[in-house]
Amino acid sequence: MTSIDNTALGRLDKEGRLLNAVLKGDTTKPGRFGFRGDIALKFQAQVADEKRPPDYSIEQVLTVAQEGEATIPVLAGYLHSFAYLADLAKVLDGALTPKGSYFIFCNNIDLLAKYRTRIGDITFRVLPCDESTVWKEMMDLAGVDKNDIKKLDTAGKLDYLLDVAKDLDGSYAEISYEEGLAKMEPVKNRNENRPV
């Protein structure tokens, strides 16, 4: 059994940031810990001992961490606003590596846009996501056919997809975080146009 404490996800777990896990445990590769869920970026003020949901998180996270390694090699997730990228970089500071592959899907960027944005020495690939899921978008991006992985369990599927994803080229146009903020569109209401 791989202990989360010996991986780059251990600190986030201790801080109570790993939420809504679909998978939080060993994968099919020895010494590899997988996580599918949300990572809280900003907590609400707590009153007494009441547990409140975070103000915002990076959602639908797909990531793995190797036991004994200090950094996360590959991560994909959804941000409701491009502006939260700075918080993501701060919360994950020290857990990311310049050599890593990080895919961030945003609600409020142009649907045809694909950027690379660097914060410090970490490069994020920023892509649009509208009415889809990170899982589906990553499958498309990585060119993985769902028939290739349908016999695998949740952990096996995560291993397969992220092993392909970490070698994706993704050499999109580079823009600064400030340029991204200037270009971003209003955040779309996720519940708009949904039947009640």
Side-chain angles (χ1 to χ4, degrees), residues 11-12 15 17 40-42 56 84-96 119-120 122 124:
R11 172 180 63 85
L12 300 172
E15 291 171 4
R17 293 187 186 275
L41 296 180
K42 182 173 186 238
Y56 50 87
Y84 300 161
L85 191 61
D87 294 314
L88 170 65
K90 202 158 63 187
V91 167
L92 296 182
D93 187 35
L96 303 180
I119 295 184
I122 306 299
F124 298 95

Side-chain angles (χ1 to χ4, degrees), residues 13-118:
D13 192 42
K14 282 191 186 79
E15 291 171 4
R17 293 187 186 275
L18 303 184
L19 307 170
N20 307 326
V22 176
L23 171 73
K24 185 178 171 187
D26 287 325
T27 69
T28 56
K29 304 275 172 90
R32 188 190 265 186
F33 194 91
F35 178 72
R36 273 186 78 176
D38 300 341
I39 299 175
L41 296 180
K42 182 173 186 238
F43 291 111
Q44 289 188 45
Q46 274 183 261
V47 183
D49 55 357
E50 141 191 58
K51 240 356 200 165
R52 293 183 167 196
D55 266 347
Y56 50 87
S57 302
I58 174 171
E59 300 169 23
Q60 302 178 42
V61 172
L62 310 174
T63 191
V64 289
Q66 199 64 35
E67 197 164 26
E69 288 180 15
T71 56
I72 296 167
V74 58
L75 178 141
Y78 170 85
L79 287 178
H80 203 47
S81 171
F82 176 84
Y84 300 161
L85 191 61
D87 294 314
L88 170 65
K90 202 158 63 187
V91 167
L92 296 182
D93 187 35
L96 303 180
T97 165
K99 293 193 191 89
S101 297
Y102 307 116
F103 302 88
I104 306 301
F105 293 88
C106 288
N107 161 292
N108 63 335
I109 64 168
D110 183 319
L111 285 176
L112 300 173
K114 290 181 175 169
Y115 311 131
R116 277 179 314 149
T117 301
R118 190 184 299 242

Side-chain angles (χ1 to χ4, degrees), residues 36 133 135-154 156-158 160-161 164:
R36 273 186 78 176
T133 63
W135 181 263
K136 186 179 175 319
E137 294 288 333
M138 284 305 293
M139 290 279 285
D140 291 349
L141 199 62
V144 175
D145 187 299
K146 61 177 190 265
N147 292 324
D148 298 344
I149 60 172
K150 70 177 182 198
K151 290 192 169 79
L152 302 174
D153 63 10
T154 303
K157 287 177 179 164
L158 186 70
Y160 189 101
L161 178 59
V164 174

